[in-house]
Amino acid sequence: MMKLEDIRREYSKGGLRREMLADDPITQFEIWLQQAVDAKFSDPTAMVVATVDDTGQPSQRIVLLKHLDEQGFVFFTNTGSRKAQELQGNNKISLHFPWHAIERQVIVYGETKPLSTAAVAKYFLSRPEESQLAAWASQQSRPVSSRKVLMETFQTMKAKFSKGEIPLPDFWGGYCVEPTKIEFWQGGDHRLHDRFMYVKQSAGSWKIERLNP
């Protein structure tokens, strides 16, 4: 096996300075996200979602960001999934956007609020039909004996909803992550990376701090 300690590279695509940052972190995130899209990443909206269960055990998974505005970051999921169950007991969450190819990361810390049924339905009905059927077929995070069983359930749902609009499952929902802190990380030479943390103040404004790498 290769020696893992010998795998390294320099980060030298450019530094990050305070005067380069927008005063509002959502504006800054939108700028970086657009640059990730322009770089033609295969999944620029992919984010690692971290939650914690009632024993203190964290868990992570990759989810796609589906909406962003001044309120926060939006994603959708089966409400019976592990992440949804963990958020029910502890609504604190962290999101991580790993844009390695341009030597950037963004980490969001915040709390989740469930979306309204109307907002969830609006997005669900915009999904491709196969994705809607998959939501009905999957009991997310629960054991399944084989892929064959999963596909049989998918076909059953396809037949069941072959006529008319596919309804919103009552076990499917969404969350808005309202940020309290957002960190922007830019790789730097000699591991002297540039890190800036936006911290939300009680009045709603944002304080920006430079962090050591």
Side-chain angles (χ1 to χ4, degrees), residues 25-26 29 47-51 63-77 83 87 90-97 107-115 174-182 200 206:
I26 300 298
F29 182 87
M47 57 186 184
V48 178
V49 174
T51 56
V63 176
L64 298 180
L65 175 69
K66 286 302 178 182
H67 182 72
L68 173 68
D69 58 27
E70 65 278 0
Q71 297 302 313
F73 301 74
V74 170
F75 68 92
F76 297 88
T77 186
K83 58 183 170 296
L87 288 171
N90 180 353
N91 74 335
K92 293 186 184 300
I93 196 170
S94 179
L95 312 176
H96 177 222
F97 295 84
I107 305 172
V108 179
Y109 304 88
E111 298 182 353
T112 55
K113 286 192 175 179
L115 298 178
Y175 297 92
C176 178
V177 178
E178 299 183 348
T180 55
K181 297 190 297 183
I182 304 180
K200 195 166 191 177
W206 292 89

Side-chain angles (χ1 to χ4, degrees), residues 147-180:
R147 182 168 183 83
K148 180 182 178 182
V149 171
L150 178 62
M151 295 309 297
E152 287 174 349
T153 306
F154 179 83
Q155 292 301 325
T156 298
M157 294 299 163
K158 188 173 184 179
K160 179 178 180 179
F161 300 120
S162 60
K163 297 179 181 179
E165 192 174 79
I166 300 171
L168 173 70
D170 59 5
F171 52 81
W172 208 78
Y175 297 92
C176 178
V177 178
E178 299 183 348
T180 55

